[in-house]
């Protein structure tokens, strides 16, 4: 009996061990239903992640232009090409450039309708008088000259007529001079210009204070390997620059000029602007551009051996394009700081209850509010040459 009991116990123990051995391999077979459910959850997770990522990408695209944005092409300014006869000199042309500011239009009318006719009339009168004297009062026609010493009528006429002419011209001239130095309105955008030997530095104090440096673009036979040479799309020879100034149309501009070394002069003929840049002083005037376009100018004060290599190029664009350009340059749009700061508070106030679903959007929104820094220098790789920084 004892043998049977021991045998029975050993048999039972063997069956238990055999059952455990069979259960172990079957353990992975149980999870398949759970595993089948898991991929569904995993599939849903990437879908949600993709949706979140898609939403994240949409936000910075609106705040910071993409790498292929046309605002970042060429010199970092909107891709505007020069127009023949507009904003630049024309070979064999006589007269003023087409004006695109109120003061410029007023000055052009004064020049064309008052000064030129008056000067022409005076020149013709003097020429007629000279011819008359040569014909009537030469020795052959008048062998016995008159001994008249004074003629009251003639003396009164030649005294009063010039005075009247000067008064007639002085009235519109003084009005134009006053208009050129009217203080800018409060909504004016400030452009600070600093003259250097021999290039320009531009600062935008009202848009975050970012700066750009503008140098002459050299010709193809003057550039070193790796440098960008001037093309026809950049502008005329000796007027094209690597970094153009961008200003909005229809918005008053407060122009401030100074110099880092000697006296320069910032002049754009199409704006009727010529303002000296004097070391240690800050000169100021204002103007409003009325027509979009590309306008060229030069330094108009003899400032050294490379005075002729300080060109100016200004792009006048609509205000919305200007604001996008400011953001692309790393600046900020005036008046946009307050809404940007209030946006996260509004987002948090309206956040859904599911914190896990909205957690990834928090840091991304913060990154989207702060645009990535963008270099203010154009990709010209022009380290030296006439009008370049450091020379």
């Amino acid at each position: 009996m004892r043998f049977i009991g021991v045998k029975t116990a050993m048999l039972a123990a063997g069956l238990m061990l055999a059952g455990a051995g069979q259960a172990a391999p079957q353990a992975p077979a149980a999870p398949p239903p759970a595993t089948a459910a898991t991929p569904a959850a995993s599939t849903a997770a990437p879908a949600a992640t993709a949706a979140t990522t898609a939403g994240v990408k949409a936000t910075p695209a609106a705040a910071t232009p993409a790498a292929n944005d046309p605002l970042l092409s060429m010199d970092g300014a909107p891709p505007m090409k020069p127009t023949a006869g507009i904003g630049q000199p024309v070979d064999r042309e006589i007269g003023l450039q087409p004006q695109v500011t109120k003061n410029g239009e007023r000055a052009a009318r004064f020049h064309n309708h008052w000064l030129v006719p008056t000067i022409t009339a005076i020149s013709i009168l003097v020429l007629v008088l000279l011819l008359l004297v040569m014909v009537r009062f030469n020795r052959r026609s008048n062998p016995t000259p008159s001994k008249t010493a004074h003629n009251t009528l003639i003396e009164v006429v030649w005294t009063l007529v010039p005075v009247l002419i000067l008064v007639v011209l002085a009235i519109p001239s003084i009005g134009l001079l006053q208009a050129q130095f009217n203080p800018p309105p409060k909504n004016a955008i400030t452009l600070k210009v600093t003259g250097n030997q021999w290039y320009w530095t531009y600062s935008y104090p009202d848009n975050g204070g970012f700066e750009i440096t503008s140098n002459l673009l050299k010709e193809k036979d003057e550039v070193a390997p790796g440098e960008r040479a001037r093309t026809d799309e950049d502008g005329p020879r000796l007027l094209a620059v690597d970094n153009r100034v961008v200003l909005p149309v229809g918005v008053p501009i407060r122009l401030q000029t100074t110099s880092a070394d000697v006296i320069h002069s910032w002049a754009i003929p199409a704006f009727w602007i010529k303002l000296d840049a004097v070391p240690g002083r800050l000169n100021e005037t204002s103007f409003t551009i009325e027509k979009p376009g590309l306008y060229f100018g030069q330094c108009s004060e003899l400032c050294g051996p490379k005075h002729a290599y300080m060109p100016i190029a200004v792009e006048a664009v609509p205000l919305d394009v200007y604001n996008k350009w400011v953001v692309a340059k790393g600046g900020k749009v005036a008046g946009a700081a307050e809404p940007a700061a209030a946006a996260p508070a509004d987002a948090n106030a309206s956040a859904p209850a599911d914190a896990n679903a909205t957690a990834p959007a928090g840091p991304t929104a913060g990154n989207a509010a702060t645009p990535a820094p963008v270099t203010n220098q154009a990709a010209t790789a022009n380290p030296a040459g006439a009008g370049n920084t450091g020379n």
Side-chain angles (χ1 to χ4, degrees), residues 218-295:
K218 296 179 290 185
E219 300 302 302
K220 294 181 179 179
D221 57 347
E222 299 173 343
V223 298
E227 293 183 351
R228 183 168 79 87
R230 182 195 68 86
T231 64
D232 292 338
E233 294 184 356
D234 293 314
R237 177 180 176 269
L238 296 181
L239 291 179
V241 299
D242 58 356
N243 266 316
R244 296 173 179 171
V245 183
V246 179
L247 294 174
V249 174
V251 179
I253 305 299
R254 177 188 291 105
L255 176 66
Q256 296 178 344
T257 60
T258 188
S259 174
D261 34 55
V262 299
I263 299 178
H264 303 275
S265 186
W266 199 81
I268 299 286
F271 297 169
W272 200 259
I273 290 292
K274 181 182 181 296
L275 195 63
D276 286 349
V278 183
R281 296 180 63 90
L282 192 67
N283 292 331
E284 180 176 295
T285 187
S286 64
F287 59 93
T288 302
I289 308 172
E290 297 185 335
K291 298 179 182 179
L294 180 56
Y295 306 99

Side-chain angles (χ1 to χ4, degrees), residues 28-109:
T35 306
T38 303
S42 302
T43 306
T49 305
T52 305
T53 306
V56 168
K57 288 184 179 179
T59 303
T64 304
N68 59 351
D69 194 303
L71 290 173
L72 300 180
S73 64
M74 243 168 57
D75 57 0
M80 185 175 291
K81 299 179 181 180
T83 303
I86 303 296
Q88 58 182 298
V90 179
D91 188 25
R92 302 180 184 275
E93 186 74 16
I94 298 177
L96 302 174
Q97 292 186 16
Q99 299 297 305
V100 294
T101 64
K102 289 290 187 184
N103 288 339
E105 294 173 353
R106 183 175 176 179
R109 287 194 301 268

Side-chain angles (χ1 to χ4, degrees), residues 9 44 47 54 77 90 113 126 139 143 199 250 254 259 272 300 316 325 349 351 374 384:
V90 179
H113 300 159
V126 172
R139 180 179 296 180
Y199 60 96
R254 177 188 291 105
S259 174
W272 200 259
S300 298
W325 175 80
V374 179

Side-chain angles (χ1 to χ4, degrees), residues 145-163:
S146 173
K147 296 182 179 181
T148 303
H150 298 282
N151 187 306
T152 304
L153 178 60
I154 292 179
E155 291 181 358
V156 170
V157 170
W158 73 32
T159 301
L160 290 181
V161 171
V163 171

